Amino acid sequence: MATLSPPVKIAATADYRPGPRITNEMLAEALGGKDVPLACRFFGVEGRHWAADLVSGEVEPSHLTSGLAIRAGRAALERAELDASQIDAVICATCTPEFLLPQTSALVQTGLGILDPRCLDLRAGCAGVVQAIDLG
């Protein structure tokens, strides 16, 4: 008789946004008074968060892709009332890894203290999130 895998579920979600919220007006001023791109108005984008400082271009190491995912992962674990030892795998969907190797999911896995070695990066742009959920 075949054994069935245990059910998979999303126990919690979380996000992390670096730095202060940058409005369209702040962006226009940083661009030398130029108007915000038409796409921002068309899609209703009113603000964004950038990991880099608008003036200096400096980026804190914790604001790289894996650092953002680690902060969001910690928040999700807390919301779900789970310990890192209860996580079976890390699937990371990003088109902006900080390195080709090691993969971002391995950095996240290490940062969250997950000891199980199963981790996978998906680099599929916007569709990556849906693919990661489906794969999970």
Side-chain angles (χ1 to χ4, degrees), residues 22-129:
I22 299 169
T23 65
N24 290 338
E25 292 74 27
M26 293 166 70
L27 179 60
E29 186 178 320
L31 294 174
K34 296 180 181 176
D35 195 17
V36 295
L38 178 61
C40 289
R41 291 194 303 270
F42 180 79
F43 290 111
V45 175
E46 297 176 2
R48 75 268 313 134
H49 293 260
W50 281 352
D53 181 270
L54 269 179
V55 178
S56 69
E58 296 289 319
V59 179
E60 287 187 40
S62 66
H63 289 170
L64 296 172
T65 303
S66 63
L68 301 176
I70 290 166
R71 287 181 181 210
R74 286 182 186 143
L77 286 170
E78 187 175 313
R79 278 187 189 164
E81 298 179 353
L82 292 172
D83 185 71
S85 65
Q86 296 173 275
I87 304 302
D88 295 324
V90 174
I91 302 171
C92 181
T94 182
C95 58
T96 56
E98 52 250 55
F99 311 107
L100 291 176
L101 290 173
Q103 56 188 349
T104 305
S105 57
L107 299 172
V108 172
Q109 175 193 31
T110 301
L112 291 176
I114 298 170
L115 302 178
D116 193 309
R118 290 178 284 193
C119 52
L120 172 70
D121 274 16
L122 291 176
R123 296 194 185 139
C126 296
V129 173

